[in-house]
Amino acid sequence: MTSSGTEKALSLLRRLPRVSIGNLGPNPGAHNEKRRGRGIYGGKTHGAGSGGSGQRQNFMRVGYETGNTPFYLRFSYQTYYKGHHLKLSYTPLCMGKLQMMIDTNRLRCDVPVDVTQLMATGLFSISPQQKEGGFMLENEGIDHFKATINIEVQWANEAVIASVERNGGFITTAYFDPLSLTAAIKPVEFFGRGIAIPRRMLPPQHLIDYYSDPKNRGYLADPAEVARERFLLAQKYGYELPDVNASPNKDILLERKDPRQIFFGLEPGWVVNLKDKVILKPTDPELKEHFAS
Amino acid sequence: MLKMSLYRVIEAGYRRGGRRLSTHIAPLFQETTPTQQETFSENEEDIIEQKRNKSRLKQWHFAKYHSQIQELTDDEEQVLSLRFQRKLYGSYGAISGISSAKLWPSKEELATEKERESITYPHTVQEMINIAKEQKKQEEKLLKERQEDLVRKVAKLKEWKMEVNKRVAKQEKEAQEAKEKKERLIEEVRSILGYRIDPKDERFKEALLKKEMEDKKASKAAKKLARQQRLIERLTEASAEVPSAGRSSTDDEPNRDPPSNTSGSPEV
């Protein structure tokens, strides 16, 4: 004599077109459907347990350890974050992602690429107020990076520089102080403020070393030394340095910003109005002198 | 109809939920100019134009939507901040009526900016680069000095170790000797008194004192004896040499006492 369970199972097999989760259900009594009580009489203790301080909701403050110095008060400082407020952090940008953006036409490489262009892709967010300095290029994907671009970022290591230059491109590392960076990442908003384009300020003392080093292609380094380093790097990594004069994008590749310049093609002191599509330039000699310094 | 100038006095109050005076939104004193919804215009066309506007939007909403802006009155120009007026220009352009001279820093602003820069960025690029180089050099110099110092010290390490060991051994030996001496004293006193006694005890000290005195006497006697012996020896030598009168002149012996000294008691 077969059990009721087996009989049930066989009957299911007979009548169901396809046995699936949607057709099957648990045996009665398999799941305990406890219904949670709600309201003044439902649930009895409302999660507070029975009697005692718990039910009376008599809680000590969070972190209190019944008298001894609590953990969150034991350490007034930690050495691992010393000087964090003086250091900048950079948004990482892999070479692979850069290549992807170029391949999918998200980023155009027929103009010099800088912070403004990278932010215009809409894929990144930088907040200078949170001590973010800009972009730093990372090693991931340097082997299959194939684009020829003139790129300006805030931090780059040797391998990244080599991968850019191998393809005939140029890379520069440039510092943007917080106000200049705010202008550079959101130019439309900046121009809506109706003020003159400011001068870009110098890096702080602890960063001047990096940006004046031709090995890092710093924007404050001597161009002749940078050219020499390009040559040496090519020898080190074992690639042939393409001749820039032969390339069709020569002008774009050789375009560089002045250390005081924020936007390509715009000088400090100019007022740009996007509504009227005009650029106003100062005439006062004092102002001219100030913005040219 | 008479043309009327309308003046509206607005108190600089606090807007709901605000902590600051709302003068940047609503100045203290405003000469109102006839706006679109004012029915004081004489021109029939204007009145018809007003009636054409069926949006039922508030005047300021309509203006905002259509990016319209009224030129600022003299009062407003004085009361509203430069920052706000520049923003108006930035959003609306030339129709805002803001003078383009306001867009650049004023003399005061420029002076403040220059002062701030001179404090925040006191050095030129070249100076900063040189400072960085100097700092690096200093660091390297310190490191080098430290390394050299370490090398010199490591060379002497063996010697120092030996010295330390010697000192330790010496100290141990001294301690051991002191202990032994103490033990010997105790033993001697014991041999005198007949029982072991604590060195700190009075009787020990007395016994020790007695022993020392006896030792002194003994040593004195010994010295005396030794002296006598020496004298006797000298005398015997002198008496031995005197008989040999016919000796060569190459006698290098020092002057001897003449035989007359042999009489009498020895010198004390």
Side-chain angles (χ1 to χ4, degrees), chain A residues 92-283:
Chain A
L93 175 59
C94 305
M95 297 304 282
K97 182 150 188 177
L98 189 61
Q99 183 67 55
M100 174 89 94
M101 291 198 293
I102 291 164
D103 290 340
T104 52
N105 275 332
R106 192 100 189 209
L107 178 71
R108 39 193 300 210
C109 52
D110 57 340
V111 290
V113 172
D114 67 340
V115 197
T116 317
Q117 289 296 322
L118 287 167
M119 287 301 288
T121 61
L123 294 172
F124 310 101
S125 72
I126 292 175
S127 54
Q129 283 186 328
Q130 302 300 322
K131 286 178 224 73
E132 288 180 19
F135 287 98
M136 77 175 160
L137 288 177
E138 305 244 279
N139 279 4
E140 197 85 26
I142 47 172
D143 294 326
H144 55 80
F145 185 76
K146 285 194 175 52
T148 309
I149 45 164
N150 175 12
I151 189 160
E152 186 195 69
V153 287
Q154 279 64 56
W155 204 271
N157 59 28
E158 200 186 52
V160 154
I161 293 166
S163 81
V164 168
E165 291 179 347
R166 180 170 67 162
N167 296 305
F170 286 81
I171 179 162
T172 317
T173 48
Y175 174 80
F176 280 79
D177 65 285
L179 291 174
S180 307
L181 190 60
T182 320
I185 59 177
K186 289 174 182 166
V188 174
E189 267 181 48
F190 174 76
F191 296 140
R193 287 166 62 189
I195 55 172
I197 295 170
R199 291 136 63 233
R200 199 173 7 141
M201 289 292 131
L202 288 172
Q205 185 64 51
H206 71 276
L207 287 176
I208 203 88
D209 206 20
Y210 184 85
Y211 290 109
S212 57
D213 198 350
K215 287 196 177 63
N216 303 321
R217 308 292 184 271
Y219 74 124
L220 297 173
D222 188 8
E225 286 182 26
V226 168
R228 185 168 166 273
E229 288 296 333
R230 262 173 71 86
F231 177 66
L232 291 174
L233 197 66
Q235 288 191 327
K236 179 174 177 178
Y237 279 76
Y239 57 84
E240 189 67 37
L241 196 62
D243 184 23
V244 69
N245 294 318
S247 79
N249 289 344
K250 182 183 166 182
D251 296 327
I252 292 154
L253 291 173
L254 293 175
E255 201 172 336
R256 299 275 180 277
K257 278 187 203 166
D258 185 68
R260 290 286 199 199
Q261 201 180 0
I262 297 176
F263 304 105
F264 276 115
L266 297 174
E267 287 178 25
W270 292 359
V271 176
V272 175
N273 190 269
L274 293 174
K275 195 84 167 84
D276 299 338
K277 295 192 172 47
V278 295
I279 295 177
L280 307 178
K281 303 181 188 179
T283 52

Side-chain angles (χ1 to χ4, degrees), chain A residues 191-196 199 201-205 208-209 212 269 271 273 275-276 280-282 286-287 290-291, chain B residues 67 86-87 89-94 100 103-105 107 110 113-114 117 121 123-125 128-129 131-132 136:
Chain A
F191 296 140
R193 287 166 62 189
I195 55 172
R199 291 136 63 233
M201 289 292 131
L202 288 172
Q205 185 64 51
I208 203 88
D209 206 20
S212 57
V271 176
N273 190 269
K275 195 84 167 84
D276 299 338
L280 307 178
K281 303 181 188 179
E286 207 182 312
L287 280 174
H290 171 72
F291 283 113
Chain B
S67 304
R86 285 165 182 162
K87 269 200 227 175
Y89 175 80
S91 317
Y92 296 103
S100 54
L103 306 174
W104 285 274
K107 292 233 183 305
L110 196 63
E113 190 58 42
K114 282 187 173 160
E117 264 179 54
Y121 305 100
H123 303 294
T124 64
V125 179
M128 288 178 93
I129 291 170
I131 289 167
K136 216 173 179 179

